[in-house]
């Protein structure tokens, strides 16, 4: 069992930056691939980024490639999402999620087993 708690959301102006954190409980965190998803107002939850257990492989949605960076610190049981050059269309509730194997397998919500409660990110024009 893995419990995930996101933090770092808030209000930022377009062009600004935020860093989200996801703290995980459980000794198996370092063995699991992790991901970030987001759900814009009135829309379905969508994939943002994913990272393998070691951090050696990362994956991004086209909409955030070059602006967002996913990373992890297994010693701290934490995964991060650095968001730069933010746009109003990045406004969403952001969720951290975990798979149950080391390498990233899939980028749909059905590929992830454990989820955090989400953190709101709002980007003003």
């Amino acid at each position: 069992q893995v419990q995930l708690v996101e933090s770092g959301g808030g209000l930022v102006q377009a062009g600004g930056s935020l860093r989200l954190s996801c703290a995980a409980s459980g000794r198996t965190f370092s063995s699991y691939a992790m991901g970030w998803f987001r759900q814009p107002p009135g829309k379905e939850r969508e994939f943002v980024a994913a990272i393998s257990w070691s951090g050696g492989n990362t994956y991004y949605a086209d909409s955030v490639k070059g602006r967002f960076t996913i990373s992890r610190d297994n010693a701290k049981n934490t995964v991060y999402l650095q968001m730069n050059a933010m746009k109003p269309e990045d406004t969403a509730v952001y969720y951290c999620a975990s798979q149950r194997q080391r390498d990233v397998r899939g980028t749909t919500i059905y590929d992830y087993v454990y989820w955090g409660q989400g953190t709101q990110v709002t980007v003003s024009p």
Side-chain angles (χ1 to χ4, degrees), residues 2 9 19 25 44 78 98 114 123:
V2 176
R19 187 176 82 156
S25 65
E44 294 186 349
T78 302
S98 172
Y114 304 110
V123 185

Side-chain angles (χ1 to χ4, degrees), residues 34-101:
M34 300 291 296
W36 285 97
F37 287 74
R38 66 186 182 186
Q39 188 163 12
K43 297 184 179 180
E44 294 186 349
R45 198 169 298 188
E46 63 185 21
F47 171 75
V48 175
I51 188 167
S52 62
W53 68 282
S54 66
N57 291 300
T58 56
Y59 307 85
Y60 296 94
D62 287 343
S63 58
V64 306
K65 203 170 293 184
R67 300 188 299 121
F68 290 11
T69 302
I70 188 171
S71 62
R72 66 191 297 161
D73 185 337
N74 287 341
K76 295 183 178 180
N77 277 14
T78 302
V79 63
Y80 303 98
L81 185 67
Q82 178 67 44
M83 304 184 291
N84 298 328
M86 297 186 72
K87 305 175 182 180
E89 50 263 45
D90 294 323
T91 294
V93 177
Y94 282 71
Y95 296 89
C96 172
S98 172
Q99 296 190 323
R100 277 200 292 214
Q101 71 285 327

